[in-house]
Amino acid sequence: LAKTTQPISMDSYEGQEVNITCSHNNIATNDYITWYQQFPSQGPRFIIQGYKTKVTNEVASLFIPADRKSSTLSLPRVSLSDTAVYYCLVGDLNSGTYKYIFGTGTRLKVLA
Amino acid sequence: GAVVSQHPSRVICKSGTSVKIECRSLDFQATTMFWYRQFPKQSLMLMATSNEGSKATYEQGVEKDKFLINHASLTLSTLTVTSAHPEDSSFYICSASRDRSTDTQYFGPGTRLTVL
């Protein structure tokens, strides 16, 4: 079972801010929260990673509350090219090596 | 930095043949590499985890004799699909991790395998 739960799909309009929330109730102390973007027939692309509070980079912000049981990816002013599937992942430590268990992801559709 | 390549990007083969897919970390040394499979409209499914110089760890339900994984160096891992059949047709994606403490994985562009 995936360790994360996200909405299956979302629609937005160009220029709007999009917030995608992910639940990870069983997150472990050592787990980081990582978000990826995937276009059709491409490998996932790293967007942002955080451990707690807020992280911001040139493409997105990540908000993590104190209990770390959820996180929100914020995409400012989306464009049509942001239409993709977004995955929220936390590492699953297994015999000393983290691995990802992918959930359904959130299919974001940006409309003109 | 953190670029991962895969070769080939797509391959078509006849049923019963074997296909090798290469995964390379171009600008970093990968302590661990992962192989995933993705069917249309579905999420990525982890097949196996490999550490350089040791045997791969396969996920439940993945046949290790059919999907041979070799991780001979810190920058190269290969996946060989042996005696491929049409049901093996899928999108195969590798990823590489360079930092165990944060578990960030960097993904390759994927390989589209079609078995006729």
Side-chain angles (χ1 to χ4, degrees):
Chain A
L1 293 176
K3 294 182 68 175
T4 61
T5 303
Q6 306 173 230
I8 291 177
S9 64
M10 293 179 70
D11 288 348
S12 181
Y13 288 95
E14 278 192 294
Q16 289 189 333
E17 177 185 81
V18 171
N19 296 309
I20 305 174
T21 296
C22 176
S23 295
H24 27 79
N25 291 318
N26 297 321
I27 190 168
T29 303
N30 295 332
D31 286 342
Y32 279 73
I33 300 154
T34 313
W35 285 80
Y36 291 87
Q37 174 192 56
Q38 187 183 28
F39 298 111
S41 296
Q42 294 187 25
R45 183 176 76 101
F46 174 87
I47 300 175
I48 198 167
Q49 182 182 68
Y51 185 80
K52 61 180 179 180
T53 63
K54 177 184 175 182
V55 180
T56 297
N57 62 21
E58 61 275 12
V59 298
S61 294
L62 179 59
F63 299 92
I64 306 169
D67 66 5
R68 303 199 329 120
K69 292 183 183 298
S70 67
S71 60
T72 299
L73 174 72
S74 181
L75 304 172
R77 298 180 298 282
V78 294
S79 62
L80 295 175
S81 62
D82 293 318
T83 294
V85 178
Y86 292 81
Y87 293 99
C88 160
L89 292 157
V90 297
D92 184 3
L93 188 61
N94 179 35
S95 301
T97 300
Y98 280 103
K99 63 179 182 180
Y100 287 154
I101 306 298
F102 277 78
T104 60
T106 297
R107 193 172 295 273
L108 173 66
K109 187 174 183 180
V110 180
L111 306 169
Chain B
V3 179
V4 177
S5 71
Q6 280 184 242
H7 178 81
S9 58
R10 57 176 61 233
V11 57
I12 300 172
C13 69
K14 292 182 179 180
S15 187
T17 60
S18 294
V19 174
K20 180 186 282 189
I21 302 169
E22 291 187 350
C23 176
R24 293 181 185 271
S25 55
L26 298 184
D27 52 2
F28 67 100
Q29 292 188 324
T31 55
T32 308
M33 286 184 166
F34 304 83
W35 287 95
Y36 296 83
R37 182 165 54 179
Q38 186 175 34
F39 293 106
K41 302 290 186 183
Q42 294 187 23
S43 186
L44 281 77
M45 186 171 63
L46 180 65
M47 299 175 68
T49 303
S50 73
N51 293 296
E52 183 262 340
S54 61
K55 289 184 178 180
T57 302
Y58 290 80
E59 294 299 303
Q60 194 171 10
V62 178
E63 300 175 58
K64 62 180 179 181
D65 293 331
K66 180 168 184 63
F67 299 99
L68 303 179
I69 292 172
N70 183 275
H71 192 162
S73 76
L74 285 171
T75 59
L76 173 65
S77 177
T78 60
L79 168 68
T80 301
V81 183
T82 62
S83 187
H85 291 283
E87 58 266 29
D88 298 322
S89 298
S90 189
F91 192 53
Y92 291 87
I93 309 171
C94 73
S95 71
S97 174
R98 64 180 174 185
D99 186 345
R100 284 187 174 222
S101 65
T102 63
D103 74 31
T104 308
Q105 292 182 29
Y106 298 95
F107 288 82
T111 297
R112 174 75 59 193
L113 170 63
T114 302
V115 185
L116 302 176

